[in-house]
Every structure is written in C-alpha cells, then in structure tokens.
Amino acid sequence: MTLSKRSRTRRRRLGVGATAAGLLAALLTAVPASATPDPGDAPAARHPVSHGEVAGTKSAIAAGEIPGQDEIVHSRNIEHLANIPKDALAGVNSDLAFQGKYAFAGNYDGFRVFDISDPKAPKTVAQVLCPGSQNDVSVSGDLLFLSTDSSRSDDSCASTAQPATEKSSWEGMKIFDISDKANPRYVAAVETACGSHTHTLVPERKNVYLYVSSYSPNATFPDCQPPHDGISVVKVPRRAPEKAAVVGFPVLFPGDGPDGGGNPGAPTNPGVSKTTGCHDLTVLPSKDLAAGACMGDGILFSIKDPEHPKVIDQVEDNVNFAFWHSATFNQKADKVVFTDELGGGGAATCNAAIGPNRGADGIYDITGRGEHRKLVFRGYYKIPRHQADTENCVAHNGSLIPVKGKDLMVQAWYQGGVSVWDFTDSARPKEIAYFERGPLSTETLQLGGAWSAYYYNGYVYSNDIVKGLDVLKLDDRRTDPARRVHLPGLNVQTQPDYFH
C-alpha cells in the first residue's frame, strides 16, 4: 500500500491556457479509430508536444495553477485512503466490478482480484494473466466475464496478437469460474463480431445475458464486416457456462445503405464519429430500460424481452459530441448522462481551447411514457479545473452515488482525476468534490489517469491506468447518506435499484 505523501487543494481552479491550434483543429475534424487507446501487447506510446505547451505546463505548475508532476491534490471533503500499485500485470488498467468484499480490476494483460474488506488496506487475492484489450470485466454469481477487443491468435490466455485480416483470428467474450477467488478458472469463450470492446450484463435467474458492444467494421476483416449496426447478445446458462453462445444480433440502427443506419459522421457531420456499432450500454433492469452510447448516437431502448431489445428514442449532438462513449441513468430513470470521449481518451481536451462543452457529459431528461418517451437535452458538465497540455483528459466512466432526492455522480476523467458532481438540476450541474494527480510528464503527452471511478458501499474506488487502484472516502453532508446503502455487488453498467 502506498499512501500519498503530499496533498493540498488547488490554488486556482483555472489554469493552463489555450492548447495549440493544430491540436484543436485535429480534434474537431478527426474521427477516432477507437474510443480508447489500444496499445495491444506494447506499452502505451508517448506523444511529443510543442515547446510552447511544455513551457505552458511548467509555468502553470510554478504558479500553482495545476499540481506538480505526480503530486496529489484534492478537495477538503475527500480523503485518499490507499493506493495499490500495479504488480504482475504491467498493462493498461481498465474497468472495475465488485462482489461482496472483492473488487475485480481489468487490465490489458488480464485481471486482478482484491480483497477490499479493509478499504484502507486492500489485499491482492489473485492476478490472472490473459492478454487482450480492453479486458472490460463484470461478475455475476460464480462467473466473471472478460471482453477481448484486440485480434488474437486464439481464444486462450496464451494467445498472441494477430492481424484482424486473418480468418483464424479471435475476439469476443471469455468466461471464468470465480467460486474460488484465489484461483479463477477459465471455462468458456464466445467469439463475437468485431470482438467485445465492452459488455453489459442482463442477469436472470437461470441465465446471464451479455450485451456485447463493438464497432469499426472493415471489409478486409473476415469476422467484422460492415454493416455492423447492432449488438451481439450472448446467453450464458449459469449451471453450464461452457454452453454460452450468441443468440442474436439485434439491429439498433436500421438503414438501407451499405453501412446501415445511425449517424453518418464526416463529411456530413464534421468531427463526429460515424455510427458503426456501440461503445457502451447501461441497463436498468428494475425499469426494463437501457441507454446506449453508440459512437455518433445516443439511444434509449426497452429490454422487456432481453433477447430482442427495442429502441424507443435516438438522439444526436453534431455540435459538441464527437464520440458517444457511455451512459448513466439517475435513480428515478427520468435522466440519462451521456459522455463524450473526444480524442479517444488519448488527447488533452480539458483546457480553455476545447472549452466546457466538448469532451464533456451531456445531461438528458427522459420525458413522456412507455414507447413515447423522449430524450431531451438539458445541459453539459465538465470538470472546472483546466489540465496541462501534457495530460490526456476527457469524460470517462462513473457511477451514481445513492442519495434519495439527489442526482449525484462520481466520475473518472483520466489525468483530470476523479470528480464528484451534482446534476439534480439538469441544466445547472456543479462539482462538489475532486481528486487528481499532477501530470505524468511535463515533456510528453502520456496515457494515464483514472479509467473508472465508482462508488461502492461507502467508498470510491478508482482504477488508475498507470498508478494502480486508489481508494477514496467522501466526507460531505450531501453524500454522507449514501453510506447507509450497502449492495451485495456492483457492475456499474447493470445499474441497481439502490432503494428497493
């Protein structure tokens, strides 16, 4: 366990000035090839920045406008309890899931199991080597599910990288038996079209359904052909997970063209991703609802029949959203927060040049009833602290903080850190707490920061790409009531009904 040696609040909330005009132009016109960096089997790349950006970063640090390199800062209502660095798995840390006293942390090289019964001192229970980006992870009962979204030589945990143009290449879902947390056992694999960038559980008593999100088909990829305008549905029998299989591919964006429906992207909508699948889905089983963040589109759909989801409404934001990345319902299911991962997660977008409305959250109210419900835009939220031009920063994964009568959320922003914010007033969201580190480098733009930040049973857990697992504790009258809510487990993309 490594505790922070230094902590302070920021001297100023606004800091680094405008980024280079060339970077801004590139972000506004380029369509990201993937929503998150995919280093595969290699370390994350370091990207050079201009001499002016380097000088600006160092000047801002000297002036106290941003933290120093690797320095930890946070608001007074957050305590940094613990940091557990990487160990055997050296790849990019990714998503988190929870069950009882355990946390499961994805990594591009596999996954790690922590005992979090003492949040101040998490202990490693197991580390499983099983390479394949991005290793998005979720758990249900004795089963753990792992997404593979990089082309591999086979479906084993000993596979190597292999071109997607080869028919024998494999991508998809891997299933582990975790009845013995110290010794997870690989039991099954299911290949899915275009792999599995992320997946979402729709659990039932006898089965677990997986909604598999993937995108970016190519005519030269035998197993990822266009159009790819839907999601793969995988059915996993709990008592016989080895029989898991794809049971359908519901089309969410029907269209007559060669690429199906959905947002056409550039040149029709410059700077917006063409919709060729979905990045992430969030389901709210208690309401039979799901929300999809699908590249150029946001959707609301019904999951009353889990094998045949039905789209209720579809929205686009061709002014400020470049890549619809993820979705979060509020507890009443009358709002959805969508994130825009401008720049694919590898760019510096939390600065004055990009502004407050791009690379941000979009807050939508859900109006109407039944199949006549509509998504209505209300406002944007972005962290109010500018970051250095050497820090990748953009809206990423977060979860609700369960407080009755309030809409509160904790969220990761890569090197922008962790933000706690209130969107009870959809049009006037505001930050109420934060935690962050200074830039990994003042000389180059390096991939790092918080991938996911989730609230679970009284604490915030954040998986930092480079630094490892962070545990935070909130001490604020606005969030304190959430401590009374205890869950048996949490997969954030399968939102629980916190008060039933």
Side-chain angles (χ1 to χ4, degrees):
M1 179 179 67
T2 302
L3 295 176
S4 62
K5 295 181 179 179
R6 297 182 64 192
S7 62
R8 62 173 175 83
T9 54
R10 276 193 171 200
R11 188 177 302 171
R12 290 174 55 193
R13 294 179 70 81
L14 298 180
V16 177
T19 191
L23 173 60
L24 176 60
L27 288 169
L28 295 177
T29 58
V31 177
S34 62
T36 52
D38 182 3
D41 297 321
R46 301 184 179 192
H47 302 286
V49 294
S50 71
H51 292 298
E53 290 165 335
V54 170
T57 297
K58 293 180 178 180
S59 174
I61 290 173
E65 296 172 355
I66 64 172
Q69 187 171 346
D70 287 333
E71 180 187 6
I72 290 175
V73 298
H74 53 79
S75 55
R76 292 182 176 87
N77 53 356
I78 277 186
E79 181 182 0
H80 187 207
L81 296 182
N83 171 263
I84 310 299
K86 290 182 183 180
D87 191 7
L89 305 178
V92 170
N93 280 333
S94 57
D95 213 358
L96 292 167
F98 305 89
Q99 185 181 80
K101 67 176 185 178
Y102 297 101
F104 304 83
N107 179 286
Y108 276 46
D109 286 338
F111 65 92
R112 190 173 180 180
V113 183
F114 292 99
D115 181 336
I116 55 172
S117 53
D118 181 359
K120 293 182 179 180
K123 298 178 181 178
T124 299
V125 176
Q127 298 186 75
V128 178
L129 179 64
C130 197
S133 72
Q134 13 184 71
N135 280 343
D136 188 44
V137 64
S138 60
V139 293
S140 182
D142 287 337
L143 300 177
L144 178 145
F145 306 95
L146 204 63
S147 284
T148 300
D149 193 35
S150 59
S151 187
R152 312 297 298 180
S153 56
D154 55 49
D155 64 4
S156 77
C157 285
S159 68
T160 57
Q162 182 168 290
T165 52
E166 295 189 21
K167 177 61 180 173
S168 63
S169 294
W170 184 92
E171 299 179 62
M173 292 301 309
K174 295 170 182 170
I175 304 171
F176 291 78
D177 183 321
I178 55 167
S179 52
D180 180 354
K181 301 295 188 294
N183 297 285
R185 182 170 57 89
Y186 187 14
V187 296
V190 180
E191 186 171 17
T192 56
C194 299
S196 175
H197 197 72
T198 65
H199 66 273
T200 303
L201 302 190
V202 186
E204 292 190 334
R205 291 184 179 179
K206 294 182 179 180
N207 306 298
V208 180
Y209 288 96
L210 311 179
Y211 287 170
V212 177
S213 298
S214 55
Y215 53 92
S216 294
N218 190 301
T220 67
F221 299 166
D223 300 319
C224 184
Q225 293 284 299
H228 183 72
D229 46 12
I231 57 175
S232 297
V233 179
V234 177
K235 183 178 181 180
V236 185
R238 290 188 185 275
R239 294 186 178 180
E242 69 278 2
K243 296 182 179 179
V246 176
V247 294
F249 187 84
V251 174
L252 303 178
F253 302 97
D256 298 329
D259 298 316
N263 199 315
T268 304
N269 297 315
V272 177
S273 293
K274 178 180 179 180
T275 299
T276 58
C278 292
H279 179 279
D280 213 330
L281 307 175
T282 293
V283 298
L284 191 57
S286 63
K287 304 291 186 182
D288 289 329
L289 280 178
C294 301
M295 304 182 71
D297 294 86
I299 57 173
L300 180 71
F301 56 102
S302 168
I303 57 169
K304 286 184 178 180
D305 181 350
E307 292 189 22
H308 302 93
K310 182 179 180 181
V311 174
I312 297 172
D313 195 26
Q314 175 180 348
V315 292
E316 296 177 354
D317 179 348
N318 294 319
V319 175
N320 288 315
F321 260 48
F323 192 100
W324 296 65
H325 175 274
S326 53
T328 303
F329 288 99
N330 69 337
Q331 180 59 40
K332 291 183 179 179
D334 58 7
K335 298 177 187 177
V336 181
V337 173
F338 289 103
T339 66
D340 170 29
E341 197 183 39
L342 173 68
T349 72
C350 296
N351 49 39
I354 300 300
N357 297 335
R358 294 182 62 80
D361 297 315
I363 306 161
Y364 286 74
D365 285 353
I366 301 174
T367 63
R369 295 183 178 180
E371 295 185 2
H372 300 289
R373 282 173 284 195
K374 297 291 182 183
L375 293 165
V376 180
F377 174 75
R378 295 300 189 200
Y380 296 109
Y381 171 75
K382 192 171 184 179
I383 56 173
R385 300 171 315 285
H386 288 174
Q387 305 296 308
D389 289 328
T390 59
E391 292 181 283
N392 61 305
C393 175
V394 76
H396 213 234
N397 295 344
S399 75
L400 289 185
I401 299 176
V403 175
K404 283 187 177 181
K406 296 289 185 180
D407 295 325
L408 305 176
M409 187 171 174
V410 59
Q411 186 176 3
W413 290 78
Y414 290 111
Q415 287 194 66
V418 174
S419 177
V420 180
W421 59 290
D422 184 334
F423 62 103
T424 306
D425 183 340
S426 303
R428 295 175 179 83
K430 58 184 180 181
E431 183 173 77
I432 61 176
Y434 70 88
F435 168 89
E436 67 168 297
R437 290 180 171 89
L440 287 170
S441 171
T442 59
E443 304 286 342
T444 59
L445 176 60
Q446 300 178 21
L447 175 66
W451 180 289
S452 299
Y454 299 145
Y455 186 92
Y456 178 65
N457 291 349
Y459 300 89
V460 172
Y461 297 87
S462 172
N463 209 19
D464 187 287
I465 290 171
V466 173
K467 299 297 185 180
L469 181 73
D470 286 309
V471 185
L472 310 174
K473 184 178 180 181
L474 281 163
D475 184 12
D476 190 290
R477 60 180 176 76
R478 293 164 291 189
T479 61
D480 287 348
R483 296 178 187 172
R484 296 192 290 267
V485 178
H486 283 264
L487 302 176
L490 178 65
N491 299 295
V492 169
Q493 285 72 36
T494 306
Q495 282 191 221
D497 187 335
Y498 288 97
F499 303 111
H500 277 200

